[in-house]
Amino acid sequence: MLFKQQALLRQKLFVLGSLAIGSLLYLVARVGSLDRLQPLCPIDGRFGPRGQDEMPLRALQFKRGLLHEFRKGNATKEQIRLHNLVQQLPKAIIIGVRKGGTRALLEMLNLHPAVVKASQEIHFFDNDENYAKGIEWYRKKMPFSYPHQITIEKSPAYFITEEVPERIYKMNSSIKLLIIVREPTTRAISDYTQVLEGKERKNKTYYKFEKLAIDPNTCEVNTKYKAVRTSIYTKHLERWLKYFPIEQFHIVDGDRLITEPLPELQLVEKFLNLPPRISQYNLYFNATRGFYCLRFNIVFNKCLAGSKGRIHPEVDTSVITKLRKFFHPFNQKFYQITGRTFNWP
């Protein structure tokens, strides 16, 4: 009886052992097949087609690592020399226009691994005091970069300041110039809104937009009002064309950059002779902010400052109509000169 029980126990143990070994072999085979089926890097599949994640990682290497330390002033001269870093004069400048989206354009272009931006507006060419300090002072205001990278700065006051075209021409007659524009009336109201907010922060009063934009004596558009003058794009562009051919300008649609930024950025890449690197991966819509934000890599995202996208005050519709009628012939000439047409009323 005891012998039979021992034999039965050995039989059960054999069956259980066989099942365990079979299960182990199955798991080994399964894991091996999965390894063959899955990409070498398991996270590749999160970012869409291969290549879209490569640019942000290079941008991280170039701009969030070593270059960031140099910008903070933490590098020695020996480190700068070893890494072959230089402070280059800009090869492209965003010259305007104010409240057209210059900051958004600069930050978005900074997504490209071959672009390095000057963080602050330098105001070298439009400020007599700064300009008197000389070109080397200007160069030292530029960020450290690798020789193959393009340095870009932006100062929207450049577009409307009379002395600037000649000064930039003397620095570099072949420089590439970026102008970002919005519908002129909307831009003028946005300009007013920014000034109004500054007055309110200082508890100061300010005229309504209608009173500034319309001459009370003639009831016509007040061309002495700076916000109106800035929106007459063709008048300013004609001054620039005395020094630079139209081929050295690229016009960016500021309204489209808000709603559909990627196509506009791809046009700029082409204008700057940059390989296409900015992709939809780098841009995501923030529903809370109502704007596109920037994605440099898997961990680093950035949205524009909260001051962007201010709510405009309500403006009398008759004033808006009058302004649009006033800007219309200037807009038509702007289309003709630049070869780019916008759907402005």
Side-chain angles (χ1 to χ4, degrees), residues 196-325:
L196 175 65
E197 185 180 277
K199 297 286 186 182
E200 289 176 342
R201 281 200 303 267
K202 298 175 182 178
N203 294 318
K204 293 183 178 180
T205 58
Y206 197 49
Y207 293 110
K208 292 187 68 175
F209 176 78
E210 293 87 341
K211 190 169 184 178
L212 294 168
I214 304 299
D215 187 326
N217 298 318
T218 64
C219 292
E220 297 299 328
V221 173
N222 180 15
T223 55
K224 294 181 180 180
Y225 178 37
K226 186 177 179 180
V228 169
R229 289 202 318 272
T230 300
S231 285
I232 308 175
Y233 304 139
T234 185
K235 291 291 186 183
H236 305 293
L237 181 59
E238 285 172 344
R239 184 172 57 251
W240 284 84
L241 290 173
K242 294 176 182 177
Y243 295 91
F244 300 96
I246 193 63
E247 292 77 19
Q248 283 177 230
F249 296 87
H250 178 73
I251 310 301
V252 179
D253 185 341
D255 295 308
R256 192 184 184 200
L257 194 73
I258 296 171
T259 60
E260 196 180 2
L262 184 58
E264 287 299 314
L265 295 173
Q266 290 171 333
L267 289 173
V268 177
E269 284 180 322
K270 185 176 181 180
F271 172 70
L272 296 177
N273 295 320
L274 294 171
R277 290 292 182 272
I278 302 174
S279 70
Q280 197 61 57
Y281 166 84
N282 303 112
L283 303 161
Y284 67 96
F285 187 75
N286 186 314
T288 303
R289 297 288 306 279
F291 286 93
Y292 277 87
C293 293
L294 315 179
R295 180 186 291 115
F296 288 85
N297 53 67
I298 192 172
V299 296
F300 184 74
N301 300 337
K302 180 178 183 178
C303 289
L304 297 178
S307 61
K308 305 301 178 183
R310 297 179 180 90
I311 298 175
H312 292 180
E314 290 188 14
V315 177
D316 189 288
T317 55
S318 66
V319 171
I320 292 176
T321 300
K322 188 181 285 286
L323 283 167
R324 287 176 172 172
K325 184 178 180 180

Side-chain angles (χ1 to χ4, degrees), residues 163-174:
E163 299 83 1
V164 171
E166 182 179 6
R167 289 175 175 179
I168 292 181
Y169 180 84
K170 287 179 178 178
M171 178 191 72
N172 181 359
S173 61
S174 62

Side-chain angles (χ1 to χ4, degrees), residues 324-337:
R324 287 176 172 172
K325 184 178 180 180
F326 168 79
F327 287 127
H328 182 75
F330 297 111
N331 296 341
Q332 295 301 311
K333 192 171 184 180
F334 186 71
Y335 302 160
Q336 184 181 6
I337 293 173

Side-chain angles (χ1 to χ4, degrees), residues 141-202:
K141 292 292 182 180
M142 294 300 125
F144 284 100
S145 62
Y146 295 100
H148 71 276
Q149 292 177 310
I150 293 176
T151 297
I152 295 181
E153 76 126 321
K154 75 102 175 175
S155 293
Y158 289 167
F159 186 59
I160 63 171
T161 305
E162 290 188 10
E163 299 83 1
V164 171
E166 182 179 6
R167 289 175 175 179
I168 292 181
Y169 180 84
K170 287 179 178 178
M171 178 191 72
N172 181 359
S173 61
S174 62
I175 197 165
K176 299 202 171 189
L177 303 165
L178 294 162
I179 305 172
I180 179 168
V181 294
R182 297 187 67 194
E183 190 276 314
T185 301
T186 302
R187 194 223 64 82
I189 296 172
S190 181
D191 197 329
Y192 166 83
T193 304
Q194 177 171 293
V195 176
L196 175 65
E197 185 180 277
K199 297 286 186 182
E200 289 176 342
R201 281 200 303 267
K202 298 175 182 178

